[in-house]
Amino acid sequence: MKKGCPFGSHRVIEPKGLLPQAANKIDNSIEIYSNEILIDVLTLNIDSASFTQIKESCGNDVDKIKNHILEIVEERGKLQNPVTGSGGMLIGRVEKIGSEFPDKNLKIKDKIATLVSLSATPLKIDKIKKINLENDQVDIEGKAILFESSIYSLLPADIPERLALAVLDVAGAPAQVSKLVKKGDIVCIIGGGGKSGILCTYQAMKNIKKDGKVIVVEYSKENVQRLKDMKLADEIIIADATKPLEVYKKVLEKTEGKFCDVTINNVNVPNTEMSSILITKDGGTVYFFSMATSFTKAALGAEGVGKDITMIIGNGYTKGHAELTLQIVKESKIIRETFEKLYL
Ligand code: NAP
């Protein structure tokens, strides 16, 4: 058995020299290299920005969505939405382990969730069994490959696997909030009524202690009501994050002109960069977790309004992110109940 590159470059078909995430096409053949594992896939969790775009372009028609997903994987060897560039993650059972794969505790038949994006994961789909339009999850028959450097987590015994799959998809967000938000901060979570938004709101409330404030900006009536019922945030603003001045005025009012120390962007639609930038005070930080974020719009937009702020690209990984996120689900009864309704 040959040994592959730890980062998966041996599977890149074109353009040569790139790593799998940036490549247009990767090799998804299921014979493993000695430092890879093969996974028998059960369910995919498609990234929200990607699934929203796919649903819109297919007019919410399940058969069209199915064909579109199959076409993408056939063409690219991975499930990377060509428009958003993003992927998602998966759960499955370990089927084969190469002799030089570093984790010697991993066993055949272990159930794992991959924590590396589907946009960088060789994937073969034999059959799509079910598409759930409500929660971005797609049950399939198929195989996936992980490289030596790919991260994954064993599925916990005390959380249902679909729920674990859903929250692990966005595990980077609350874990980054835990690093960024300090006692007494004013924090705004844009798109705080969605999956990652709820987890971030919970973590932000925990970090500010009693002195700060957590404000959520959310658009749809249902999500606003859900958040109100959950009693997670100090303030909820109903506004469209694609309308920066509307958001700016409302945050100005709620913060009595102080604006935010930290802004977390968790939306799943484009054109929300300027709302995040305008409501963040000079010297503050914006964490763009949204996959619909444009680097150009953020960088030039901040410059255009003279904002001296730190803007962080939403790295989906930070050490301990899976543990922190699963812990939130164990700790917060209301989040667990809400997510169980959505994902089980
Ligand atoms: P989600 O559950 O769909 O949440 C998105 C939220 O944004 C929803 O509550 C949505 O409301 C709200 N929203 C949409 N348009 C809005 C607008 N114009 N104004 C205000 N709020 C609006 O998505 P998620 O799974 O938490 O993912 C959030 C984002 O993170 C997505 O962009 C996803 O692609 C990205 N992501 C990033 C990483 C990473 O590694 N950086 C990993 C995973 C996911 P409605 O539901 O009412 O539309």
Side-chain angles (χ1 to χ4, degrees):
M1 214 183 259
K2 277 196 292 186
K3 186 170 181 178
C5 158
F7 312 115
S9 68
H10 56 286
R11 288 215 176 235
V12 171
I13 296 175
E14 63 106 23
K16 285 281 180 213
L18 293 186
L19 291 181
Q21 205 284 335
N24 295 332
K25 189 174 174 67
I26 61 176
D27 170 16
N28 62 357
S29 51
I30 62 171
E31 293 76 39
I32 57 169
Y33 287 67
S34 65
N35 53 347
E36 293 180 335
I37 60 172
L38 179 71
I39 303 166
D40 186 25
V41 182
L42 300 166
T43 305
L44 308 171
N45 188 108
I46 302 186
D47 167 72
S48 176
S50 169
F51 202 50
T52 303
Q53 191 280 329
I54 291 174
K55 280 192 291 190
E56 271 171 22
S57 70
C58 296
N60 275 318
D61 181 303
V62 175
D63 287 332
K64 284 190 186 154
I65 295 172
K66 206 183 246 186
N67 288 338
H68 191 40
I69 291 173
L70 289 170
E71 270 164 27
I72 294 175
V73 175
E74 182 64 33
E75 201 173 301
R76 314 195 76 170
K78 56 179 176 170
L79 182 45
Q80 179 176 36
N81 182 322
V83 178
T84 63
S86 57
M89 34 95 66
L90 62 84
I91 52 174
R93 275 195 199 84
V94 177
E95 189 171 311
K96 283 184 188 162
I97 306 175
S99 58
E100 293 183 270
F101 192 71
D103 184 353
K104 298 298 172 204
N105 293 321
L106 192 67
K107 296 186 294 298
I108 305 281
K109 294 211 170 122
D110 274 350
K111 262 194 185 169
I112 60 171
T114 60
L115 298 173
V116 57
S117 171
L118 287 177
S119 66
T121 305
L123 175 71
K124 198 162 235 167
I125 300 182
D126 298 320
K127 185 176 170 192
I128 293 186
K129 297 202 294 196
K130 188 177 166 209
I131 295 187
N132 190 328
L133 291 181
E134 302 305 318
N135 67 17
D136 313 346
Q137 297 193 353
V138 178
D139 295 339
I140 67 158
E141 282 170 17
K143 310 282 179 200
I145 304 276
L146 286 189
F147 313 124
E148 186 179 325
S149 62
S150 308
I151 46 176
Y152 55 88
S153 169
L154 284 178
L155 283 173
D158 50 355
I159 296 180
E161 57 191 45
R162 279 183 190 279
L163 179 53
L165 171 68
V167 296
L168 287 173
D169 171 46
V170 295
Q176 297 284 0
V177 168
S178 173
K179 289 198 329 201
L180 292 171
V181 174
K182 306 277 173 294
K183 183 169 179 276
D185 277 351
I186 300 177
V187 183
C188 185
I189 315 282
I190 303 188
K195 181 171 66 176
S196 60
I198 287 173
L199 294 164
C200 289
T201 303
Y202 179 86
Q203 189 61 44
M205 287 295 282
K206 208 168 167 177
N207 281 33
I208 60 164
K209 311 248 187 278
K210 284 196 178 118
D211 304 328
K213 188 183 251 193
V214 175
I215 304 163
V216 164
V217 172
E218 180 53 62
Y219 187 45
S220 71
K221 284 202 185 102
E222 305 82 59
N223 288 6
V224 167
Q225 191 53 51
R226 190 169 67 201
L227 261 182
K228 281 187 181 159
D229 295 344
M230 292 175 86
K231 298 190 176 68
L232 281 186
D234 291 312
E235 305 270 5
I236 300 171
I237 291 174
I238 306 174
D240 179 352
T242 64
K243 308 254 164 53
L245 288 175
E246 179 187 337
V247 175
Y248 172 80
K249 282 183 197 143
K250 290 185 174 172
V251 174
L252 172 86
E253 199 182 300
K254 291 283 184 207
T255 62
E256 292 158 349
K258 293 195 201 102
F259 294 104
C260 307
D261 299 286
V262 180
T263 302
I264 312 289
N265 185 319
N266 295 99
V267 298
N268 54 358
V269 294
N271 294 319
T272 63
E273 295 82 359
M274 286 317 292
S275 288
S276 314
I277 289 165
L278 284 186
I279 63 165
T280 305
K281 60 170 81 158
D282 261 342
T285 302
V286 183
Y287 174 68
F288 284 111
F289 189 67
S290 165
M291 281 293 166
T293 305
S294 150
F295 180 88
T296 319
K297 286 178 189 168
L300 300 180
E303 182 192 78
V305 294
K307 274 280 177 162
D308 182 3
I309 53 177
T310 302
M311 296 190 285
I312 302 179
I313 291 180
N315 182 350
Y317 173 62
T318 185
K319 284 202 174 76
H321 70 329
E323 294 76 8
L324 180 137
T325 302
L326 293 172
Q327 184 55 30
I328 293 178
V329 177
K330 289 179 200 168
E331 221 167 81
S332 167
K333 191 164 173 270
I334 188 72
I335 291 183
R336 182 163 181 155
E337 283 172 2
T338 306
F339 283 176
E340 277 175 356
K341 278 188 209 134
L342 293 172
Y343 300 108
L344 297 190

